[in-house]
Each structure stands twice: as C-alpha cells, then as structure tokens.
Amino acid sequence: MASVIGFPNPVNEVAARAVAGGVVVLSALTLVLGLALDHAWYWLTVLLAAGFVARVVSGPTLSPLGQVATRVVAPRIGHEKLVPGPPKRFAQAIGATLTVAAVVLTALSIDTGVVVLLAMLLVAATLESVFGLCLGCKAFAVLMRAGVIPPETCEACANIGLRAA
C-alpha cells in the first residue's frame, strides 16, 4: 500500500505538463458541451475531480491521465526534467478543490458557478501545459516565503543550493 499512496518527489515536469494538457482538453470539452448543448454535460466534471483527487493521493499511480502522461506522452516528448514534488501536489490539491466544488455546484444546478470554476481551471491548466507556468506552484512559493508552509515541507524549494543540484 505504501507504493500506491504518496506523491512522487521529484516530479517529471514534462509529465506534469502533459497531465495539464489532458485537463485542458477535458475541461474545454465539458465547457463547450455544457454551454452549447445541455448543462447535463457538466457531470463530466466528476471525471476531472476524480482524477485530481487520485493525483493528490498517489501522484500518477491511480490516475488514468497520470499514467498516460508518464508512460506514453512524456517519454515521447523528450527527456525528463525533474522538479520538486510538493508544489505540484499543492497545485493538484487546488485543482481537486475547484473540481469538487464544481461537482457540488452541478448537483445544485448552479451552472454559472460551474462555468466560472471550469474556466479558472482551464486558464490555469493552459498556462501550465503551454507555458510551463504553474499557478499552484507560484502560490506554494508565496506561502512558503510567508511562513505558512514550513521549510521542511519542501527542502529543495527552501534551499536554493538543492534546486541547483
């Protein structure tokens, strides 16, 4: 069980960006179908939420999208680029929070809230997948500098010497 539960550290940035690309596709599809056809399509948000929760709990291990990204997509894109895991896990937790909230709003038929949350997710995932800009990682860094997240949570984040290595 120990090999299934837990987030990897370090994380392959190429695979993380591939996961974000999958999130872009699924969230855009959900938005387009929900807005153009029928709000019942917003239930696709359940798949997004389940994927985010799985990645928070186990990294790519329990996530179908994570498995495709790490085993199929990332190896074909290029060599791995290792980055600290805790900021990526924090970013996945933000995605999980947004998508679980969207699922709740879908159940309550609050479509405008679902659209806003999915649009936020779409923007963040696009920034990550296309430009390598992880908003959750940036927030993690700000919280570390503010002392909200203790330095031992991410030694490589707290010690610039470890980042260079």
Side-chain angles (χ1 to χ4, degrees), residues 118-134:
L118 286 175
M120 290 170 57
L121 182 67
L122 182 60
V123 167
T126 299
L127 289 171
E128 167 76 6
S129 66
V130 176
F131 302 108
L133 175 62
C134 176

Side-chain angles (χ1 to χ4, degrees), residues 79-108:
H79 69 284
E80 68 180 10
K81 177 184 175 196
L82 298 179
V83 296
K88 294 295 184 186
R89 186 178 206 176
F90 183 78
Q92 292 294 318
I94 292 171
T97 302
L98 290 175
T99 54
V100 168
V103 169
V104 170
L105 294 178
T106 298
L108 297 172

